[in-house]
Amino acid sequence: MGNRPDELRALLDSVAKQDGDRVEVVVVGNGSPVTGVPEGVRTVELPENLGIPGGRNAGIEAFGPSGAEMDILLFLDDDGLLAQHDTAELCRRAFAADPKLGIISFRIADPDTGETARRHVPRLRAADPMRSSRVTTFLGGANAVRTKVFAEVGGLPDEFFYAHEETDLAWRALDAGWMIDYRSDMVLYHPTTAPSRHAVYHRMVARNRVWLARRNLPAPLVPVYLGVWLLLTLARRPSVPALKAWFGGFKEGWTTSPGPRRPMRWRTVWRLTRLGRPPVV
């Protein structure tokens, strides 16, 4: 968005310091110009803000169709910072060692405290953020994806704009036979912030939750999944304005097109269940 130039430069410096082969970089201006980046960094300036998935898809295509010029793509929030110099090398080794590994989710840690928020551990049993494991989704601003995944299942869902686009891609990747790992030793420093700081948060979370289910789940699981999330939302006792926005988004999710429907196979449902997160929660 062009509003964090100092943080962006610090992130690019941390990428440039990675061990091993040079990491090629593209910076996407999502409806804003890109200025002040180091020589050799590719830039894409989108004429309008396409949202998080749309901007990331533009970055993928900057490396050829489905990112084909590269074997692996890292996605990093512009206010993040790679904590160690070996993160890129660890990614290369992880993908080389496991041909079915499609996506790696990094651990996000606060730069001041070193702590990882529970919501940044992409599994239900999130009490120990230092435990690496197989997971069923990943963190959008701190991850690495094998480009063969994009070639096989497509990119992020542009229409989502913000929220749940990672889970949509994760479910499609898992249905195609790929695996996802959460790695606690691959760290992105990122300030601890509340996602609800975004004005569209409650509406987008609800709308996209419905779209996610309608696009990806077998028909019998759609009402179960959404019913569980409705109860969880009410149990969290949001404010009246937040709840009003949430129900508005929930309605929008049912009355607008979610995009193409490709329900996952029942064996994928069982696979998600064995990995600790059945697609009903």
Side-chain angles (χ1 to χ4, degrees):
M1 298 294 292
N3 55 359
R4 294 191 283 239
D6 294 339
E7 292 90 340
L8 174 60
R9 188 58 189 250
L11 170 65
L12 295 177
D13 287 345
S14 74
V15 173
K17 293 175 182 176
Q18 291 298 298
D19 299 336
D21 294 339
R22 180 176 180 269
V23 178
E24 299 291 333
V25 178
V26 62
V27 174
V28 178
N30 213 347
S32 66
V34 180
T35 60
V37 299
E39 185 177 351
V41 172
R42 306 185 197 193
T43 61
V44 175
E45 295 185 357
L46 301 175
E48 61 179 307
N49 182 359
L50 299 181
I52 293 173
R56 288 180 180 150
N57 284 336
I60 294 168
E61 296 300 310
F63 293 112
S66 299
E69 294 176 15
M70 303 294 165
D71 296 320
I72 305 164
L73 291 180
L74 276 67
F75 296 85
L76 306 171
D77 275 356
D78 64 352
D79 55 346
L81 185 75
L82 289 175
Q84 307 294 338
H85 293 177
D86 63 350
T87 302
E89 194 63 24
L90 288 173
C91 284
R92 295 186 187 104
R93 293 174 189 169
F95 284 114
D98 186 352
K100 296 308 295 180
L101 179 60
I103 303 172
I104 298 173
S105 189
F106 300 171
R107 180 168 65 88
I108 292 179
D110 185 274
D112 296 322
T113 66
E115 295 181 356
T116 296
R118 188 182 182 89
R119 66 183 179 84
H120 284 152
V121 183
R123 59 177 179 243
L124 291 179
R125 296 176 180 176
D128 182 8
M130 300 307 295
R131 179 173 67 86
S132 299
S133 69
R134 294 284 201 198
V135 289
T136 61
T137 189
F138 64 99
L139 306 176
N143 66 80
V145 182
R146 194 189 296 268
T147 52
K148 287 182 179 178
V149 173
F150 297 124
E152 186 171 348
V153 307
L156 295 155
D158 286 341
E159 54 268 66
F160 278 40
F161 196 85
Y162 167 79
H164 303 319
E165 66 273 3
E166 302 92 354
T167 300
D168 186 88
L169 175 61
W171 283 0
R172 285 182 281 128
L174 288 162
D175 196 48
W178 296 100
M179 300 301 294
I180 305 171
D181 279 356
Y182 166 72
R183 288 282 297 264
S184 64
D185 57 336
M186 302 181 189
V187 181
L188 183 82
Y189 283 147
H190 188 281
T192 300
T193 54
S196 56
R197 71 189 185 280
H198 300 292
V200 297
Y201 172 76
H202 295 287
R203 180 175 71 87
M204 292 289 193
V205 162
R207 184 199 68 180
N208 291 359
R209 182 80 69 184
V210 177
W211 280 358
L212 177 70
R214 291 177 62 197
R215 285 164 61 99
N216 295 287
L217 291 181
L221 292 186
V222 173
V224 179
Y225 177 81
L226 295 175
V228 168
W229 277 104
L230 172 61
L231 293 174
L232 286 173
T233 299
L234 294 173
R236 290 167 179 169
R237 304 178 67 181
S239 66
V240 172
L243 194 59
K244 184 177 179 180
W246 193 93
F247 274 109
F250 193 79
K251 179 181 178 181
E252 185 181 350
W254 284 108
T255 57
T256 56
S257 173
R261 173 167 166 76
R262 299 187 182 93
M264 67 178 65
R265 293 166 292 184
W266 283 103
R267 70 181 184 185
T268 304
V269 172
W270 175 237
R271 190 180 188 196
L272 288 164
T273 302
R274 287 190 292 110
L275 288 169
R277 189 156 196 166
V280 294
V281 64

